[in-house]
Short mmCIF file of all heavy atoms in Angstrom, two decimals:
data_model
loop_
_atom_site.label_atom_id
_atom_site.label_comp_id
_atom_site.label_asym_id
_atom_site.label_seq_id
_atom_site.Cartn_x
_atom_site.Cartn_y
_atom_site.Cartn_z
N GLN J 227 -42.88 -6.87 -21.39
CA GLN J 227 -41.43 -6.96 -21.54
C GLN J 227 -41.11 -7.45 -22.92
O GLN J 227 -41.88 -8.16 -23.56
CB GLN J 227 -40.82 -7.88 -20.48
CG GLN J 227 -40.99 -7.38 -19.06
CD GLN J 227 -40.33 -8.30 -18.05
OE1 GLN J 227 -39.85 -9.39 -18.45
NE2 GLN J 227 -40.35 -7.93 -16.80
N LYS J 229 -38.54 -9.47 -23.64
CA LYS J 229 -38.01 -10.82 -23.60
C LYS J 229 -38.81 -11.66 -22.63
O LYS J 229 -39.38 -11.17 -21.67
CB LYS J 229 -36.52 -10.83 -23.20
CG LYS J 229 -35.62 -10.10 -24.15
CD LYS J 229 -34.20 -10.15 -23.67
CE LYS J 229 -33.27 -9.38 -24.62
NZ LYS J 229 -31.88 -9.41 -24.17
N VAL J 230 -38.83 -12.94 -22.91
CA VAL J 230 -39.53 -13.88 -22.06
C VAL J 230 -38.57 -14.38 -20.98
O VAL J 230 -37.48 -14.85 -21.32
CB VAL J 230 -40.09 -15.11 -22.84
CG1 VAL J 230 -40.73 -16.11 -21.91
CG2 VAL J 230 -41.04 -14.62 -23.90
N ILE J 231 -38.92 -14.19 -19.72
CA ILE J 231 -38.07 -14.59 -18.61
C ILE J 231 -38.54 -15.95 -18.12
O ILE J 231 -39.74 -16.15 -17.79
CB ILE J 231 -38.12 -13.59 -17.47
CG1 ILE J 231 -37.62 -12.19 -17.94
CG2 ILE J 231 -37.26 -14.03 -16.29
CD1 ILE J 231 -37.75 -11.12 -16.95
N VAL J 232 -37.62 -16.92 -18.11
CA VAL J 232 -37.94 -18.29 -17.71
C VAL J 232 -37.52 -18.49 -16.24
O VAL J 232 -36.42 -18.13 -15.90
CB VAL J 232 -37.26 -19.34 -18.62
CG1 VAL J 232 -37.62 -20.72 -18.18
CG2 VAL J 232 -37.66 -19.07 -20.07
#
Side-chain angles (χ1 to χ4, degrees):
Q227 297 181 355
K229 297 180 181 180
V230 176
I231 299 175
V232 180

